[in-house]
Amino acid sequence: MLSETINEALNKQLVCEYSSFWLYLSMSAQTRQHNLLGFAHWLELQANEEQTHGKKILEYIEDRNGKIILGEIQKPQNEWNSMIDLFENVLTHEQMVSQKINEIYDLAHQENDNATAVFLQWFIMEQVEEEATSLSILERLKAINGMTGPLFYFDHELGKRKE
């Protein structure tokens, strides 16, 4: 059974994951409006991934006989000034998610909740990948520096993402 503090922290992370889903969906919509369909595709898959993360946390809380308490999901930002601005937000957001997961991991260790600590190890490694990918895309966008041809080529490349 989950302690009250771990249960509360996981419920907050559940909201964070679904907020991430909503944010990436908003980003996908904006890029689609600018006819950057590869970016839109990549961001939509990212949204789906965040939804899956939320579902994993929800199922874990249930498996540990915890209580699901769905919190409010804030309205996401809907406009960004550029693709660089958008992906700076992606990277900052992923860093924030990493910090929150690490805090729950530390809490699990403080409470000797080894099952939760082990469960969160997957999320920790997932966040390493999320941050690295976000940074890579951001660095490529900065190198492109607004040049239309390379931007559309990169858009095409991101459209090939499978999962």
Side-chain angles (χ1 to χ4, degrees):
M1 183 160 188
L2 293 173
S3 73
E4 190 174 312
T5 54
I6 296 287
N7 193 100
E8 182 180 332
L10 288 171
N11 273 292
K12 286 180 181 176
Q13 189 61 34
L14 181 62
V15 170
C16 182
E17 297 296 338
Y18 282 104
S19 294
S20 297
F21 164 73
W22 208 231
L23 175 64
Y24 284 124
L25 209 55
S26 177
M27 290 174 164
S28 177
Q30 176 165 349
T31 55
R32 192 172 310 284
Q33 289 170 354
H34 292 286
N35 206 30
L36 293 169
L37 303 181
F39 281 98
H41 171 75
W42 190 93
L43 290 159
E44 187 175 333
L45 289 178
Q46 195 65 24
N48 293 342
E49 193 173 286
E50 300 302 335
Q51 189 176 36
T52 300
H53 296 171
K55 183 79 168 142
K56 281 183 182 206
I57 293 171
L58 187 138
E59 289 171 352
Y60 179 76
I61 294 169
E62 289 173 341
D63 288 348
R64 294 289 309 279
N65 201 30
K67 183 174 181 176
I68 303 295
I69 302 167
L70 299 178
E72 182 177 350
I73 297 175
Q74 299 295 318
K75 178 182 175 185
Q77 182 175 340
N78 288 302
E79 292 187 30
W80 291 267
N81 296 323
S82 66
M83 292 306 295
I84 290 173
D85 181 37
L86 188 143
F87 272 91
E88 284 174 340
N89 276 261
V90 168
L91 179 58
T92 300
H93 181 77
E94 291 299 341
Q95 290 168 335
M96 178 273 301
V97 171
S98 295
Q99 179 182 342
K100 290 182 179 297
I101 291 169
N102 287 332
E103 288 169 3
I104 302 169
Y105 183 80
D106 291 342
L107 180 62
H109 278 290
Q110 290 169 13
E111 295 198 7
N112 294 317
D113 184 345
N114 295 327
T116 298
V118 168
F119 170 72
L120 291 172
Q121 287 175 357
W122 181 88
F123 286 90
I124 291 167
M125 295 314 298
E126 177 71 9
Q127 284 308 120
V128 169
E129 179 185 328
E130 299 288 352
E131 286 186 37
T133 301
S134 301
L135 180 59
S136 175
I137 292 171
L138 177 59
E139 287 175 346
R140 288 181 71 182
L141 284 168
K142 286 179 178 179
I144 289 169
N145 195 25
M147 293 184 287
T148 307
L151 179 65
F152 282 117
Y153 178 80
F154 192 29
D155 179 65
H156 176 74
E157 189 176 316
L158 288 179
K160 295 178 182 178
R161 179 180 177 184
K162 300 283 186 223
E163 50 180 72

PDB file of all heavy atoms in Angstrom, residues 39 42 83-84 87 90 131-144 154 158 161:
ATOM      1  N   PHE A  39       6.650  18.354 -37.920  1.00  0.00           N
ATOM      2  CA  PHE A  39       6.717  18.779 -36.521  1.00  0.00           C
ATOM      3  C   PHE A  39       5.415  18.429 -35.808  1.00  0.00           C
ATOM      4  O   PHE A  39       5.425  17.948 -34.671  1.00  0.00           O
ATOM      5  CB  PHE A  39       6.981  20.285 -36.413  1.00  0.00           C
ATOM      6  CG  PHE A  39       8.407  20.683 -36.624  1.00  0.00           C
ATOM      7  CD1 PHE A  39       8.834  21.158 -37.858  1.00  0.00           C
ATOM      8  CD2 PHE A  39       9.329  20.594 -35.598  1.00  0.00           C
ATOM      9  CE1 PHE A  39      10.152  21.532 -38.064  1.00  0.00           C
ATOM     10  CE2 PHE A  39      10.651  20.965 -35.788  1.00  0.00           C
ATOM     11  CZ  PHE A  39      11.070  21.441 -37.025  1.00  0.00           C
ATOM     12  N   TRP A  42       5.395  14.737 -35.050  1.00  0.00           N
ATOM     13  CA  TRP A  42       6.325  14.428 -33.967  1.00  0.00           C
ATOM     14  C   TRP A  42       5.709  14.834 -32.618  1.00  0.00           C
ATOM     15  O   TRP A  42       5.744  14.066 -31.647  1.00  0.00           O
ATOM     16  CB  TRP A  42       7.657  15.156 -34.186  1.00  0.00           C
ATOM     17  CG  TRP A  42       8.726  14.703 -33.256  1.00  0.00           C
ATOM     18  CD1 TRP A  42       9.655  13.722 -33.488  1.00  0.00           C
ATOM     19  CD2 TRP A  42       9.004  15.208 -31.942  1.00  0.00           C
ATOM     20  NE1 TRP A  42      10.474  13.586 -32.392  1.00  0.00           N
ATOM     21  CE2 TRP A  42      10.097  14.485 -31.431  1.00  0.00           C
ATOM     22  CE3 TRP A  42       8.427  16.190 -31.148  1.00  0.00           C
ATOM     23  CZ2 TRP A  42      10.622  14.715 -30.159  1.00  0.00           C
ATOM     24  CZ3 TRP A  42       8.945  16.425 -29.877  1.00  0.00           C
ATOM     25  CH2 TRP A  42      10.027  15.688 -29.399  1.00  0.00           C
ATOM     26  N   MET A  83       9.762  28.276 -34.041  1.00  0.00           N
ATOM     27  CA  MET A  83      10.023  26.876 -33.712  1.00  0.00           C
ATOM     28  C   MET A  83      11.102  26.767 -32.630  1.00  0.00           C
ATOM     29  O   MET A  83      11.049  25.875 -31.792  1.00  0.00           O
ATOM     30  CB  MET A  83      10.423  26.099 -34.968  1.00  0.00           C
ATOM     31  CG  MET A  83       9.294  25.946 -35.974  1.00  0.00           C
ATOM     32  SD  MET A  83       7.790  25.224 -35.263  1.00  0.00           S
ATOM     33  CE  MET A  83       8.377  23.604 -34.862  1.00  0.00           C
ATOM     34  N   ILE A  84      12.047  27.701 -32.647  1.00  0.00           N
ATOM     35  CA  ILE A  84      13.063  27.706 -31.592  1.00  0.00           C
ATOM     36  C   ILE A  84      12.400  27.971 -30.249  1.00  0.00           C
ATOM     37  O   ILE A  84      12.667  27.276 -29.264  1.00  0.00           O
ATOM     38  CB  ILE A  84      14.184  28.733 -31.895  1.00  0.00           C
ATOM     39  CG1 ILE A  84      15.028  28.244 -33.078  1.00  0.00           C
ATOM     40  CG2 ILE A  84      15.049  28.991 -30.664  1.00  0.00           C
ATOM     41  CD1 ILE A  84      16.059  29.242 -33.569  1.00  0.00           C
ATOM     42  N   PHE A  87      10.527  24.838 -29.118  1.00  0.00           N
ATOM     43  CA  PHE A  87      11.368  23.752 -28.612  1.00  0.00           C
ATOM     44  C   PHE A  87      12.192  24.155 -27.392  1.00  0.00           C
ATOM     45  O   PHE A  87      12.603  23.291 -26.619  1.00  0.00           O
ATOM     46  CB  PHE A  87      12.202  23.120 -29.727  1.00  0.00           C
ATOM     47  CG  PHE A  87      11.440  22.017 -30.390  1.00  0.00           C
ATOM     48  CD1 PHE A  87      10.648  22.271 -31.493  1.00  0.00           C
ATOM     49  CD2 PHE A  87      11.448  20.736 -29.866  1.00  0.00           C
ATOM     50  CE1 PHE A  87       9.898  21.265 -32.084  1.00  0.00           C
ATOM     51  CE2 PHE A  87      10.709  19.722 -30.437  1.00  0.00           C
ATOM     52  CZ  PHE A  87       9.924  19.978 -31.554  1.00  0.00           C
ATOM     53  N   VAL A  90       9.725  23.101 -24.983  1.00  0.00           N
ATOM     54  CA  VAL A  90       9.734  21.638 -24.856  1.00  0.00           C
ATOM     55  C   VAL A  90      10.854  21.219 -23.901  1.00  0.00           C
ATOM     56  O   VAL A  90      10.635  20.452 -22.965  1.00  0.00           O
ATOM     57  CB  VAL A  90       9.911  20.951 -26.230  1.00  0.00           C
ATOM     58  CG1 VAL A  90      10.217  19.456 -26.064  1.00  0.00           C
ATOM     59  CG2 VAL A  90       8.672  21.145 -27.095  1.00  0.00           C
ATOM     60  N   GLU A 131      14.899  14.592 -22.648  1.00  0.00           N
ATOM     61  CA  GLU A 131      15.713  15.812 -22.618  1.00  0.00           C
ATOM     62  C   GLU A 131      16.743  15.813 -23.743  1.00  0.00           C
ATOM     63  O   GLU A 131      16.950  16.844 -24.400  1.00  0.00           O
ATOM     64  CB  GLU A 131      16.401  15.970 -21.261  1.00  0.00           C
ATOM     65  CG  GLU A 131      15.454  16.385 -20.156  1.00  0.00           C
ATOM     66  CD  GLU A 131      16.165  16.677 -18.856  1.00  0.00           C
ATOM     67  OE1 GLU A 131      17.290  17.244 -18.887  1.00  0.00           O
ATOM     68  OE2 GLU A 131      15.612  16.346 -17.786  1.00  0.00           O
ATOM     69  N   ALA A 132      17.380  14.678 -23.979  1.00  0.00           N
ATOM     70  CA  ALA A 132      18.398  14.598 -25.036  1.00  0.00           C
ATOM     71  C   ALA A 132      17.774  14.850 -26.410  1.00  0.00           C
ATOM     72  O   ALA A 132      18.337  15.598 -27.224  1.00  0.00           O
ATOM     73  CB  ALA A 132      19.088  13.231 -25.001  1.00  0.00           C
ATOM     74  N   THR A 133      16.620  14.265 -26.661  1.00  0.00           N
ATOM     75  CA  THR A 133      15.953  14.450 -27.951  1.00  0.00           C
ATOM     76  C   THR A 133      15.519  15.899 -28.132  1.00  0.00           C
ATOM     77  O   THR A 133      15.711  16.494 -29.202  1.00  0.00           O
ATOM     78  CB  THR A 133      14.733  13.513 -28.069  1.00  0.00           C
ATOM     79  OG1 THR A 133      15.182  12.163 -27.933  1.00  0.00           O
ATOM     80  CG2 THR A 133      14.026  13.681 -29.398  1.00  0.00           C
ATOM     81  N   SER A 134      14.940  16.477 -27.087  1.00  0.00           N
ATOM     82  CA  SER A 134      14.487  17.876 -27.152  1.00  0.00           C
ATOM     83  C   SER A 134      15.657  18.814 -27.413  1.00  0.00           C
ATOM     84  O   SER A 134      15.558  19.732 -28.234  1.00  0.00           O
ATOM     85  CB  SER A 134      13.798  18.275 -25.844  1.00  0.00           C
ATOM     86  OG  SER A 134      12.707  17.445 -25.581  1.00  0.00           O
ATOM     87  N   LEU A 135      16.757  18.589 -26.732  1.00  0.00           N
ATOM     88  CA  LEU A 135      17.946  19.419 -26.908  1.00  0.00           C
ATOM     89  C   LEU A 135      18.500  19.276 -28.324  1.00  0.00           C
ATOM     90  O   LEU A 135      18.873  20.261 -28.958  1.00  0.00           O
ATOM     91  CB  LEU A 135      19.017  19.078 -25.869  1.00  0.00           C
ATOM     92  CG  LEU A 135      20.311  19.881 -25.953  1.00  0.00           C
ATOM     93  CD1 LEU A 135      20.042  21.376 -25.788  1.00  0.00           C
ATOM     94  CD2 LEU A 135      21.298  19.379 -24.906  1.00  0.00           C
ATOM     95  N   SER A 136      18.526  18.056 -28.834  1.00  0.00           N
ATOM     96  CA  SER A 136      19.024  17.815 -30.194  1.00  0.00           C
ATOM     97  C   SER A 136      18.187  18.565 -31.229  1.00  0.00           C
ATOM     98  O   SER A 136      18.733  19.210 -32.132  1.00  0.00           O
ATOM     99  CB  SER A 136      19.017  16.315 -30.480  1.00  0.00           C
ATOM    100  OG  SER A 136      19.371  16.071 -31.812  1.00  0.00           O
ATOM    101  N   ILE A 137      16.871  18.488 -31.091  1.00  0.00           N
ATOM    102  CA  ILE A 137      15.993  19.202 -32.029  1.00  0.00           C
ATOM    103  C   ILE A 137      16.205  20.705 -31.905  1.00  0.00           C
ATOM    104  O   ILE A 137      16.320  21.409 -32.917  1.00  0.00           O
ATOM    105  CB  ILE A 137      14.516  18.818 -31.794  1.00  0.00           C
ATOM    106  CG1 ILE A 137      14.294  17.359 -32.192  1.00  0.00           C
ATOM    107  CG2 ILE A 137      13.579  19.754 -32.583  1.00  0.00           C
ATOM    108  CD1 ILE A 137      12.931  16.801 -31.816  1.00  0.00           C
ATOM    109  N   LEU A 138      16.291  21.204 -30.691  1.00  0.00           N
ATOM    110  CA  LEU A 138      16.504  22.635 -30.474  1.00  0.00           C
ATOM    111  C   LEU A 138      17.824  23.094 -31.089  1.00  0.00           C
ATOM    112  O   LEU A 138      17.872  24.128 -31.771  1.00  0.00           O
ATOM    113  CB  LEU A 138      16.471  22.956 -28.972  1.00  0.00           C
ATOM    114  CG  LEU A 138      16.739  24.404 -28.583  1.00  0.00           C
ATOM    115  CD1 LEU A 138      15.729  25.354 -29.212  1.00  0.00           C
ATOM    116  CD2 LEU A 138      16.739  24.535 -27.060  1.00  0.00           C
ATOM    117  N   GLU A 139      18.884  22.329 -30.888  1.00  0.00           N
ATOM    118  CA  GLU A 139      20.183  22.705 -31.453  1.00  0.00           C
ATOM    119  C   GLU A 139      20.141  22.715 -32.980  1.00  0.00           C
ATOM    120  O   GLU A 139      20.723  23.589 -33.618  1.00  0.00           O
ATOM    121  CB  GLU A 139      21.271  21.765 -30.948  1.00  0.00           C
ATOM    122  CG  GLU A 139      21.617  22.015 -29.480  1.00  0.00           C
ATOM    123  CD  GLU A 139      22.605  21.010 -28.913  1.00  0.00           C
ATOM    124  OE1 GLU A 139      22.840  19.949 -29.544  1.00  0.00           O
ATOM    125  OE2 GLU A 139      23.137  21.290 -27.828  1.00  0.00           O
ATOM    126  N   ARG A 140      19.436  21.753 -33.575  1.00  0.00           N
ATOM    127  CA  ARG A 140      19.321  21.733 -35.039  1.00  0.00           C
ATOM    128  C   ARG A 140      18.521  22.930 -35.538  1.00  0.00           C
ATOM    129  O   ARG A 140      18.869  23.528 -36.556  1.00  0.00           O
ATOM    130  CB  ARG A 140      18.699  20.416 -35.505  1.00  0.00           C
ATOM    131  CG  ARG A 140      19.693  19.253 -35.335  1.00  0.00           C
ATOM    132  CD  ARG A 140      19.142  17.960 -35.807  1.00  0.00           C
ATOM    133  NE  ARG A 140      19.042  17.942 -37.272  1.00  0.00           N
ATOM    134  CZ  ARG A 140      18.542  16.903 -37.946  1.00  0.00           C
ATOM    135  NH1 ARG A 140      18.116  15.832 -37.306  1.00  0.00           N
ATOM    136  NH2 ARG A 140      18.469  16.942 -39.256  1.00  0.00           N
ATOM    137  N   LEU A 141      17.463  23.284 -34.807  1.00  0.00           N
ATOM    138  CA  LEU A 141      16.676  24.456 -35.196  1.00  0.00           C
ATOM    139  C   LEU A 141      17.518  25.725 -35.113  1.00  0.00           C
ATOM    140  O   LEU A 141      17.414  26.600 -35.981  1.00  0.00           O
ATOM    141  CB  LEU A 141      15.425  24.586 -34.313  1.00  0.00           C
ATOM    142  CG  LEU A 141      14.300  23.617 -34.627  1.00  0.00           C
ATOM    143  CD1 LEU A 141      13.261  23.637 -33.516  1.00  0.00           C
ATOM    144  CD2 LEU A 141      13.672  23.949 -35.975  1.00  0.00           C
ATOM    145  N   LYS A 142      18.349  25.832 -34.103  1.00  0.00           N
ATOM    146  CA  LYS A 142      19.220  27.003 -33.981  1.00  0.00           C
ATOM    147  C   LYS A 142      20.234  27.035 -35.131  1.00  0.00           C
ATOM    148  O   LYS A 142      20.532  28.109 -35.658  1.00  0.00           O
ATOM    149  CB  LYS A 142      19.929  27.012 -32.626  1.00  0.00           C
ATOM    150  CG  LYS A 142      18.996  27.381 -31.482  1.00  0.00           C
ATOM    151  CD  LYS A 142      19.722  27.368 -30.155  1.00  0.00           C
ATOM    152  CE  LYS A 142      18.798  27.786 -29.010  1.00  0.00           C
ATOM    153  NZ  LYS A 142      19.495  27.748 -27.708  1.00  0.00           N
ATOM    154  N   ALA A 143      20.727  25.876 -35.524  1.00  0.00           N
ATOM    155  CA  ALA A 143      21.683  25.821 -36.643  1.00  0.00           C
ATOM    156  C   ALA A 143      21.000  26.204 -37.958  1.00  0.00           C
ATOM    157  O   ALA A 143      21.608  26.864 -38.805  1.00  0.00           O
ATOM    158  CB  ALA A 143      22.289  24.420 -36.748  1.00  0.00           C
ATOM    159  N   ILE A 144      19.757  25.812 -38.117  1.00  0.00           N
ATOM    160  CA  ILE A 144      18.988  26.162 -39.314  1.00  0.00           C
ATOM    161  C   ILE A 144      18.772  27.667 -39.379  1.00  0.00           C
ATOM    162  O   ILE A 144      18.773  28.258 -40.458  1.00  0.00           O
ATOM    163  CB  ILE A 144      17.643  25.396 -39.336  1.00  0.00           C
ATOM    164  CG1 ILE A 144      17.898  23.910 -39.608  1.00  0.00           C
ATOM    165  CG2 ILE A 144      16.681  25.996 -40.353  1.00  0.00           C
ATOM    166  CD1 ILE A 144      16.678  23.027 -39.392  1.00  0.00           C
ATOM    167  N   PHE A 154      13.996  19.410 -42.367  1.00  0.00           N
ATOM    168  CA  PHE A 154      13.940  18.903 -40.995  1.00  0.00           C
ATOM    169  C   PHE A 154      12.498  18.513 -40.645  1.00  0.00           C
ATOM    170  O   PHE A 154      12.261  17.490 -40.000  1.00  0.00           O
ATOM    171  CB  PHE A 154      14.487  19.951 -40.026  1.00  0.00           C
ATOM    172  CG  PHE A 154      14.737  19.465 -38.631  1.00  0.00           C
ATOM    173  CD1 PHE A 154      15.064  18.149 -38.343  1.00  0.00           C
ATOM    174  CD2 PHE A 154      14.659  20.354 -37.571  1.00  0.00           C
ATOM    175  CE1 PHE A 154      15.299  17.717 -37.050  1.00  0.00           C
ATOM    176  CE2 PHE A 154      14.901  19.937 -36.272  1.00  0.00           C
ATOM    177  CZ  PHE A 154      15.212  18.621 -36.006  1.00  0.00           C
ATOM    178  N   LEU A 158      11.333  14.857 -39.317  1.00  0.00           N
ATOM    179  CA  LEU A 158      10.595  14.593 -38.077  1.00  0.00           C
ATOM    180  C   LEU A 158       9.278  13.879 -38.361  1.00  0.00           C
ATOM    181  O   LEU A 158       8.776  13.134 -37.505  1.00  0.00           O
ATOM    182  CB  LEU A 158      10.336  15.892 -37.316  1.00  0.00           C
ATOM    183  CG  LEU A 158      11.561  16.521 -36.641  1.00  0.00           C
ATOM    184  CD1 LEU A 158      11.178  17.826 -35.948  1.00  0.00           C
ATOM    185  CD2 LEU A 158      12.211  15.581 -35.662  1.00  0.00           C
ATOM    186  N   ARG A 161       8.939   9.962 -37.783  1.00  0.00           N
ATOM    187  CA  ARG A 161       8.936   9.312 -36.458  1.00  0.00           C
ATOM    188  C   ARG A 161       7.825   8.263 -36.404  1.00  0.00           C
ATOM    189  O   ARG A 161       6.694   8.504 -36.782  1.00  0.00           O
ATOM    190  CB  ARG A 161       8.724  10.361 -35.371  1.00  0.00           C
ATOM    191  CG  ARG A 161       8.676   9.786 -33.976  1.00  0.00           C
ATOM    192  CD  ARG A 161       8.474  10.845 -32.917  1.00  0.00           C
ATOM    193  NE  ARG A 161       8.361  10.229 -31.608  1.00  0.00           N
ATOM    194  CZ  ARG A 161       8.104  10.897 -30.510  1.00  0.00           C
ATOM    195  NH1 ARG A 161       7.951  12.207 -30.534  1.00  0.00           N
ATOM    196  NH2 ARG A 161       8.004  10.275 -29.355  1.00  0.00           N
TER     197      ARG A 161
END
